[in-house]
Amino acid sequence: MASANAPSDSALLSKSANGATFLICLQIGSRTLTFIVNQILLRFLSPELLGIATQFELYCISVLYFARESLRVALQRQGNEATGAEKGQSADAINDEKTNTGGKVVERYALRQRAQETVNLSYIAVGLGPPLSSIFATIYLKNAGPALLATPYITGSLTIYAIAIVFELSAEPYFAVAQQQMLYSTRASAETSATLTRCIVTCATAIWASSTDLAIGALPFAVGQLGYAVVMAFVYHSKARSVAKNGGFSLLPKTLKSSDPSQYVLSRFPRRLLTLALNIYAQSGLKHLLTQGDSILIAQFTSFTSQGVYALASNYGSLLARMLFQPIEESSRGVFGRLLSSSNPASLPNTPPSQPSHHPSSQSAPPPNNSPSNLHSHANILSARSYLLTILHLYSLLSLLLTTIAPTLSPLLLASIAGPHWTHTPAGSVLSLYCYYIPLLAFNGILEAFVASVATPAQLRAQGLWMMAFSACFAGTGWLVLGVWEMGARGLVLANGVNMAMRILWSWGFVEGWFGRRDSALGVGEVLPTGVSLMGGVVTAGVLKFLSKDFSGGLEDLVKTVMVGGIYGITL
């Protein structure tokens, strides 16, 4: 049996790797297009207006996060292949309907059941959209200052954002199906079309307002977000209909049948996944505070100008994270969830092993430790270990190259592309410091993806307690650097670095312990670059620092930096 399943695991890794590559290409294309449009917008926007637009973006991200993130993580643990227990329950359900119980019929029934579970659970996010949008909008307007309330079309812009959120969440069932079936082309089609629409609408509205001398505030961003959401919902719906028809399930919530009534809540939502989602949701607030805490803090303690400077630096600085690291993280969660579901107690069926099942095949004695199924499970663990170490080692090399070259290169690039509005702001120095923060984003993303994929509900609750401690440290550090030392955007980057470092240490301890308990221990030495690579980075950074003393910000300085960095990159 182990040998029979091995090709399936290899195919899973191959398909996930191809999917990650596909998503990376999608992100590169999407971000490149967004980057080009942003360069146009920066010619028409002041730092103050960009700061206001950043607050609207925070509102949108917050509502979407609390509505769907925990459900997405729970569904990624489900996989897209029917387990033996599910086949047994499906056979009982088919017997209840006096239907043919052939093996293929049972498996098809189980897969349809699993797809319908995914659709049903996703509709919870759809239902949460309108109330969460209203609650967050009310809180936002109640705490808005006079300067924000004086911005033209502030209420109308917020209303349009709320409508866009509802449209985007209406596509969640279709997104979940595409994610479960690994339909990366569907996702690419939806996101590319939506991003293109947002770019065109936002840019066109801003240019029109500027040409007519009409002050419309952040309205171009709101209209662009609405176009993004409408197009995404339309494309996902049109693509998902054929998938549902071929798979034999509905894209609307539907009653699910099972021989065990306790398996589902309200006969629609799988109890195991719903419980897992609730456990994840319980710590979502803390994780969101840590993820978006920088935007919250800078909105509370700094001016709109400082918010705009930080938004510009973080948007440019996080391009690599969004184009490369985020797709890898999303794909990896699926890989870990599918490879390690049989090794994770939280992913096992609700029925305890000591209780007999209705299906005859489940009444056999548990397999011995050297059985093919256990060997297969250990092989999955080794595959996941190799996959994780490969990504971490790649990240360490990219981080070394990034922290060596980017702090000198990024201010030179910013000076040539941002436009006159930003010439006399500290955006260049903030972006330079942000380059040291990007590697922390990368390592934290992949490590937390592993934790989210394998942690039991008890471990997730423990993580939540640690998140509370990290939140307190982050808030204290943020208050110190912003409220006391008044370091502005630079201080916020430092506070983020401290927060991210603490999260990485906790996640690494979890990962190390998880593999160690399964006789597959890993160490930091397997991740770090070689000593020669580190020494080369130190020398290159020293050369660039020496050269930068005579830099004037011209093209010649940019060429020098690229040449020195290129030589080091080749040797690395």
Side-chain angles (χ1 to χ4, degrees):
M1 183 181 294
S3 61
N5 286 331
S8 176
D9 298 330
S10 299
L12 170 61
L13 288 173
S14 176
K15 191 170 184 179
S16 298
N18 292 335
T21 303
F22 203 90
L23 292 178
I24 290 171
C25 293
L26 169 63
Q27 286 292 329
I28 291 175
S30 172
R31 297 301 173 183
T32 300
L33 179 61
T34 304
F35 179 82
I36 294 172
V37 172
N38 283 342
Q39 303 323 300
I40 300 174
L41 287 175
L42 287 174
R43 306 285 172 174
F44 302 96
L45 297 179
S46 64
E48 293 81 5
L49 189 55
L50 184 59
I52 294 173
T54 302
Q55 291 193 5
F56 281 147
E57 184 180 2
L58 175 63
Y59 161 74
C60 185
I61 291 173
S62 298
V63 176
L64 291 174
Y65 185 89
F66 283 104
R68 70 189 184 188
E69 184 64 20
S70 61
L71 294 168
R72 284 187 172 186
V73 174
L75 286 171
Q76 282 183 325
R77 293 231 190 153
Q78 190 184 35
N80 60 355
E81 293 183 359
T83 63
E86 288 173 325
K87 291 178 184 178
Q89 292 165 349
S90 299
D92 291 337
I94 293 175
N95 279 326
D96 291 341
E97 296 178 353
K98 295 180 172 45
T99 311
N100 183 2
T101 59
K104 290 185 178 180
V105 174
V106 171
E107 184 168 4
R108 284 199 301 269
Y109 186 93
L111 292 175
R112 286 201 306 270
Q113 191 90 336
R114 173 165 285 195
Q116 192 63 54
E117 289 175 359
T118 299
V119 171
N120 287 2
L121 204 61
S122 298
Y123 269 95
I124 295 178
V126 178
L128 288 174
L132 286 178
S133 299
S134 300
I135 292 171
F136 276 78
T138 302
I139 295 174
Y140 180 76
L141 290 176
K142 187 176 181 181
N143 292 278
L148 180 62
L149 294 175
T151 304
Y153 299 100
I154 182 68
T155 305
S157 299
L158 190 61
T159 302
I160 293 174
Y161 263 103
I163 296 172
I165 289 170
V166 173
F167 268 105
E168 187 167 348
L169 287 175
S170 70
E172 194 62 19
Y174 319 133
F175 170 87
V177 170
Q179 190 78 353
Q180 184 194 54
Q181 305 289 336
M182 293 187 174
L183 303 175
Y184 296 109
S185 60
T186 298
R187 181 173 174 181
S189 177
E191 294 192 10
T192 301
S193 303
T195 301
L196 181 62
T197 301
R198 177 169 56 189
C199 291
I200 293 174
V201 172
T202 303
C203 195
T205 308
I207 294 175
W208 168 76
S210 177
S211 63
T212 56
D213 293 326
L214 183 64
I216 59 174
L219 196 60
F221 294 94
V223 177
Q225 186 64 28
L226 179 60
Y228 173 89
V230 171
V231 171
M232 175 172 282
F234 174 78
V235 174
Y236 267 128
H237 178 70
S238 60
K239 297 284 186 180
R241 281 186 301 178
S242 60
V243 177
K245 183 177 180 180
N246 294 333
F249 59 91
S250 172
L251 289 175
L252 295 174
K254 187 177 178 182
T255 302
L256 296 169
K257 297 180 180 180
S258 173
S259 58
D260 181 8
S262 66
Q263 186 182 2
Y264 295 106
V265 176
L266 301 178
S267 300
R268 285 176 173 81
F269 308 111
R271 186 177 299 275
R272 177 178 63 83
L273 292 178
L274 190 60
T275 302
L276 179 60
L278 289 174
N279 276 286
I280 297 172
Y281 197 89
Q283 58 168 307
S284 291
L286 294 172
K287 188 172 182 180
H288 185 67
L289 278 176
L290 290 173
T291 304
Q292 300 296 329
D294 54 355
S295 300
I296 298 172
L297 279 175
I298 201 169
Q300 292 294 320
F301 288 107
T302 64
S303 64
F304 286 128
T305 300
S306 293
Q307 293 177 45
V309 168
Y310 180 77
L312 179 72
S314 61
N315 283 339
Y316 282 143
S318 60
L319 273 176
L320 181 62
R322 285 176 288 183
M323 289 192 300
L324 178 63
F325 303 143
Q326 184 180 343
I328 292 177
E329 177 185 340
E330 291 180 5
S331 178
S332 297
R333 282 198 300 193
V335 172
F336 294 139
R338 291 179 176 91
L339 278 178
L340 303 176
S341 59
S342 60
S343 307
N344 178 20
S347 67
L348 297 177
N350 286 332
T351 306
S354 58
Q355 295 180 3
S357 167
H358 295 289
H359 194 251
S361 61
S362 66
Q363 298 178 8
S364 57
N369 290 332
N370 60 350
S371 68
S373 61
N374 280 333
L375 290 174
H376 172 60
S377 176
H378 187 65
N380 285 358
I381 292 173
L382 292 178
S383 295
R385 180 185 184 277
S386 176
Y387 179 91
L388 178 61
L389 284 177
T390 299
I391 293 178
L392 290 174
H393 184 65
L394 175 63
Y395 279 4
S396 69
L397 294 176
L398 287 174
S399 299
L400 182 58
L401 183 63
L402 184 69
T403 54
T404 299
I405 303 169
T408 304
L409 181 63
S410 55
L412 297 174
L413 288 172
L414 183 64
S416 62
I417 62 177
H421 285 301
W422 305 88
T423 304
H424 303 293
T425 68
S429 61
V430 175
L431 181 58
S432 182
L433 183 62
Y434 199 93
C435 293
Y436 295 101
Y437 174 63
I438 296 173
L440 299 178
L441 288 173
F443 285 110
N444 180 72
I446 188 64
L447 290 174
E448 287 196 350
F450 182 88
V451 174
S453 299
V454 304
T456 64
Q459 290 169 333
L460 289 172
R461 288 191 291 271
Q463 185 189 28
L465 294 177
W466 280 102
M467 288 285 187
M468 291 179 64
F470 300 155
S471 297
C473 291
F474 175 67
T477 306
W479 171 80
L480 189 65
V481 297
L482 294 176
V484 179
W485 295 341
E486 297 182 350
M487 295 178 64
R490 287 176 59 85
L492 192 56
V493 176
L494 293 175
N496 270 323
V498 172
N499 161 43
M500 202 60 64
M502 291 188 296
R503 291 170 66 175
I504 289 172
L505 288 175
W506 187 91
S507 296
W508 175 256
F510 176 91
V511 171
E512 206 172 29
W514 194 91
F515 281 106
R517 289 190 297 272
R518 290 159 177 80
D519 300 323
S520 305
L522 44 79
V524 177
E526 299 177 85
V527 175
L528 296 177
T530 64
V532 175
S533 298
L534 291 171
M535 184 59 66
V538 172
V539 172
T540 304
V543 171
L544 289 174
K545 187 172 182 62
F546 175 78
L547 292 175
S548 65
K549 293 179 181 179
D550 299 323
F551 282 178
S552 60
L555 180 60
E556 182 181 351
D557 301 331
L558 190 62
V559 172
K560 289 178 182 178
T561 304
V562 172
M563 288 180 62
V564 173
I567 293 172
Y568 174 60
I570 294 173
T571 59
L572 185 64

